[in-house]
Amino acid sequence: MRTEIQIRNETIMGLTLDITETRDKAAQRASAPAVASLAGLGRGEMRAALATLGVPERQLNMRLAQVWKWVYGRGARSFDEMTDVGKALRQVLAARWALARPEIITTQTSVDGTRKWLLRVAPASVAEPPGEVECVYIPEADRGTLCISSQIGCTLNCTFCHTGTQRLVRNLTAAEIVGQILVARDALGEWPGAERPAGETLPDAERTITNIVLMGMGEPLYNFDNVRDAVAIAADHEGLSLSKRRITLSTSGVVPEIVRWGAEAGTMLAISLHATRDELRDELVPINRKYPISALLDACRTYPGLSNAKRITFEYVMLKGVNDSLDDAKALVRLLAGIPAKINLIPFNPWPGAPYECSDWETIERFAEVINRAGYASPVRTPRGRDIMAACGQLKSASQRLGARARQAAP
Ligand code: SAH
Ligand code: SF4
């Protein structure tokens, strides 16, 4: 039953703030952050938020531009920092909104400088515990790549992937996806005027985060709208300003959504191929039973804007005795002929209970040589952050989706 416990209209210097609290809203808030966060909202939502606070229509675009710049261009953590926004509006904003990010539960740093953050996000329902999600930063000499998650868990079960052993808990919201970038920028001192952390391995580049890869937990194309909205925020020139050329979405091969992604988002694309025959791919990447290799490659061929400068990355995990023969290498080269492609050989990253082993280094080198001879440059991806279980396919959080009975029983 919805029982209103408080209805109050507050007027602060000409702006009307409507605070209407109901019991069920209050109950939601008991386990969600106390106030919703403006950091993570898209332009449309932020504009609507300002309108709800009473900003007149004629001022909306200007106010939106100001607040947007503070949130995404400068990383403001407090409304007080927004010095070009009138004090009255700042007060109203602060009364209704927070500038929160997902909360860092742990930070782990690998011997190679890779960092992994375990982040806490809101629970899937009031009865469940908060969700946990991982996000990884990989510094190299001239670039810094942030690997972000799109889901808590995954509905697919690729047999070599640790995340695949975790049932889907829920999709992340666009704000939670963008929130991972904000957390990383906070921690890496990536805002104007902020200091970079001392003693950390960081790239020798103007920006510490130069690239974003949607290669963390989850299948991003099964959370299409939220991932698309998050990418729009990340790529916005007035804010985080990450060029779509530097954002790569990796998919296991959700063919119809690849076509849609090309039309609606158009970032760089990576395909988790891992096998050249349907029989083997059906086993390793079970979504192949629905969308076989030929359909997948057709979708790749028609991906918009492909050229030598904009190629699709094909990921191929090296599994000992499974897909690592020289015949496999030759078949891979034949299969990709005619598609502007990069090939990324990923040494299998082990996880507890994994049913595979990584191919021997010699085998990987010989496989890579075939690929090299066919004209593909530096195809082997150096494993990063293995010691902290931060490498490709090692991410998994403790979050579980409770069964219906457990949800009912929860206090
Ligand atoms: N769901 C998406 C993106 C997340 S997985 C996808 O499947 O593409 C990111 C990459 O890591 C994929 O290429 C995936 O196949 C690869 N991967 C998964 N488990 C791995 C493991 N144990 N070792 C190496 N790479 C792995
Ligand atoms: Fe999901 Fe990607 Fe792992 Fe497959 S490889 S289980 S799609 S996260």
Side-chain angles (χ1 to χ4, degrees):
M1 198 175 78
R2 282 170 68 93
T3 319
E4 295 207 340
I5 56 171
Q6 190 184 41
I7 300 176
R8 191 150 52 95
N9 276 326
E10 250 182 33
T11 305
I12 303 175
M13 299 179 85
L15 289 164
T16 302
L17 173 61
D18 186 359
I19 310 171
T20 305
E21 191 84 315
T22 59
R23 260 189 214 289
D24 45 1
K25 265 195 195 158
Q28 276 167 19
R29 286 178 182 198
S31 54
V35 206
S37 181
L38 211 59
L41 297 192
R43 281 186 176 272
E45 292 165 312
M46 207 182 273
R47 196 174 197 280
L50 290 168
T52 311
L53 293 180
V55 174
E57 176 67 32
R58 63 178 189 287
Q59 285 184 16
L60 269 178
N61 286 346
M62 183 218 8
R63 294 295 184 208
L64 173 63
Q66 288 173 323
V67 176
W68 185 269
K69 194 194 76 198
W70 281 106
V71 173
Y72 296 119
R74 308 190 70 93
R77 306 295 301 268
S78 143
F79 291 102
D80 287 340
E81 290 174 46
M82 303 185 178
T83 43
D84 56 357
V85 176
K87 201 168 173 200
L89 178 56
R90 281 185 347 231
Q91 282 178 345
V92 173
L93 278 164
R96 175 63 187 83
W97 292 93
L99 290 169
R101 294 91 159 85
E103 187 189 335
I104 298 178
I105 304 172
T106 54
T107 303
Q108 284 175 278
T109 307
S110 158
V111 287
D112 68 20
T114 299
R115 290 184 181 200
K116 181 169 83 171
W117 292 284
L118 177 64
L119 304 175
R120 181 176 291 132
V121 294
S125 75
V126 251
E128 292 182 45
E132 292 179 359
V133 74
E134 295 185 318
C135 169
V136 177
Y137 175 67
I138 307 142
E140 290 169 79
D142 57 347
R143 55 154 69 188
T145 305
L146 187 69
C147 174
I148 59 178
S149 295
S150 55
Q151 298 182 309
I152 307 178
C154 188
T155 46
L156 302 174
N157 350 68
C158 305
T159 46
F160 51 86
C161 174
H162 202 199
T163 312
T165 65
Q166 182 183 6
R167 281 177 61 194
L168 179 73
V169 176
R170 69 171 174 86
N171 282 336
L172 293 178
T173 63
E176 289 162 347
I177 297 168
V178 173
Q180 296 169 61
I181 306 176
L182 301 182
V183 165
R185 289 192 71 154
D186 293 343
L188 298 169
E190 172 85 320
W191 302 109
E195 278 197 20
R196 291 185 175 190
E200 297 285 348
T201 313
L202 292 172
D204 189 14
E206 200 184 313
R207 295 178 76 156
T208 53
I209 301 171
T210 56
N211 294 64
I212 300 278
V213 291
L214 279 145
M215 293 187 188
M217 293 163 62
E219 169 47 59
L221 292 184
Y222 276 155
N223 185 14
F224 191 100
D225 291 0
N226 292 344
V227 174
R228 179 202 51 209
D229 293 351
V231 163
I233 296 171
D236 191 291
H237 294 306
E238 308 296 326
L240 293 167
S241 283
L242 285 147
S243 149
K244 284 191 181 178
R245 283 285 175 104
R246 291 180 169 272
I247 302 177
T248 303
L249 175 136
S250 175
T251 177
S252 57
V254 192
V255 168
E257 303 297 308
I258 292 176
V259 178
R260 219 179 124 209
W261 186 260
E264 294 184 30
T267 63
M268 303 301 277
L269 190 65
I271 302 286
S272 295
L273 189 62
H274 309 316
T276 55
R277 293 173 286 120
D278 279 325
E279 194 197 355
L280 178 60
R281 196 165 189 270
D282 281 352
E283 188 190 313
L284 301 179
V285 188
I287 198 179
N288 194 68
R289 294 177 205 154
K290 202 164 176 191
Y291 306 114
I293 294 175
S294 58
L296 178 57
L297 295 185
D298 280 349
C300 291
R301 278 191 197 92
T302 53
Y303 195 73
L306 289 189
S307 67
N308 266 348
K310 189 179 174 190
R311 297 190 229 184
I312 295 183
T313 301
F314 289 88
E315 298 161 289
Y316 194 95
V317 64
M318 298 298 295
L319 304 171
K320 189 176 192 162
V322 176
N323 64 353
D324 61 354
S325 72
L326 290 186
D327 281 347
D328 288 317
K330 289 175 198 157
L332 181 57
V333 168
R334 275 199 305 274
L335 201 61
L336 301 184
I339 304 177
K342 289 186 223 170
I343 298 177
N344 232 209
L345 303 180
I346 315 176
F348 170 67
N349 293 309
W351 39 272
Y356 301 104
E357 281 178 67
C358 182
S359 307
D360 301 327
W361 201 249
E362 236 175 49
T363 311
I364 298 180
E365 278 185 343
R366 268 189 278 126
F367 197 104
E369 215 177 285
V370 175
I371 309 286
N372 261 320
R373 263 192 268 122
Y376 298 95
S378 25
V380 185
R381 186 185 292 174
T382 317
R384 298 290 304 263
R386 270 187 178 175
D387 53 335
I388 54 165
M389 289 287 287
C392 293
Q394 290 185 314
L395 305 185
K396 177 176 179 175
S397 71
S399 296
Q400 287 181 6
R401 183 155 176 76
L402 299 182
R405 197 174 294 164
R407 277 204 297 277
Q408 273 162 17

